[in-house]
Amino acid sequence: TLSLHDALPIYIRDASPTFSADTTSLTFAVAGLLSFAPATANVSDVVSALKVGDAARMSKYFDNLVEISLNDRSHSYSRSQAELVIKDFFTSNDVTDFEVEYKSNVSDGEYCMGKLTTRHGEFRTSFSLKNRGDRKLIQEISFEGVDE
């Protein structure tokens, strides 16, 4: 009978791990670089930020340019400007919840639509995550007041 040791290819069973200062440093350097890579978003990440009105958390997923529509007024903003616009909107409306009504995967990313509840009314809210290389980022977000 063959033992597990005999069944392993020779290059695996005879390999002994060796560590040197150079490979250890390289490992830590690569790990450090990866920690600064921009975050990739999925619908649940954005929804959790919307539920509590957290503009800073949401901005981690913004693309370099973000199209923001607020009640029929639309404008493109840089990532940092977009964070300030969203923060101001969340602060002045005092977000209390977000409920997903529709979401789907589309050919170039994901789409979500729902109802943002605030102390000053409800907003039909939609956003799209577009594929940018190996990441999904928010490129568009819209808030439209709901007449009751």
Side-chain angles (χ1 to χ4, degrees):
T1 49
L2 287 175
S3 70
L4 179 59
H5 181 268
D6 294 331
L8 291 175
I10 243 168
Y11 61 87
I12 292 177
R13 74 172 181 238
D14 290 341
S16 60
T18 58
F19 297 100
S20 70
D22 293 336
T23 57
T24 304
S25 298
L26 179 61
T27 302
F28 287 117
V30 170
L33 287 174
L34 291 176
S35 67
F36 293 111
T40 186
N42 62 48
V43 168
S44 62
D45 294 328
V46 180
V47 166
S48 66
L50 281 167
K51 281 183 173 289
V52 295
D54 189 339
R57 185 176 354 159
M58 224 172 133
S59 72
K60 292 189 318 185
Y61 310 116
F62 287 166
D63 202 347
N64 292 331
L65 278 178
V66 182
E67 182 79 21
I68 299 176
S69 298
L70 294 167
N71 292 323
D72 298 326
R73 297 180 71 200
S74 185
H75 191 72
S76 291
Y77 298 95
S78 70
R79 179 183 299 136
S80 58
Q81 290 172 322
E83 180 180 357
L84 293 174
V85 169
I86 297 295
K87 182 179 180 177
D88 183 57
F89 175 77
F90 287 166
T91 301
S92 58
N93 286 287
D94 198 12
V95 174
T96 59
D97 196 20
F98 179 77
E99 182 180 322
V100 174
E101 295 176 341
Y102 175 80
K103 66 180 177 177
S104 71
N105 289 319
V106 293
S107 62
D108 60 345
E110 296 179 68
Y111 176 80
C112 180
M113 183 173 63
K115 180 175 62 176
L116 184 74
T117 304
T118 74
R119 298 217 190 277
H120 301 288
E122 295 179 344
F123 294 84
R124 170 95 40 231
T125 302
S126 62
F127 62 89
S128 61
L129 303 172
K130 302 286 183 176
N131 295 329
R132 277 288 266 191
D134 61 346
R135 299 175 289 150
K136 288 183 184 172
L137 300 171
I138 299 170
Q139 291 184 339
E140 302 171 24
I141 188 160
S142 173
F143 302 95
E144 295 293 324
V146 176
D147 297 329
E148 296 191 42

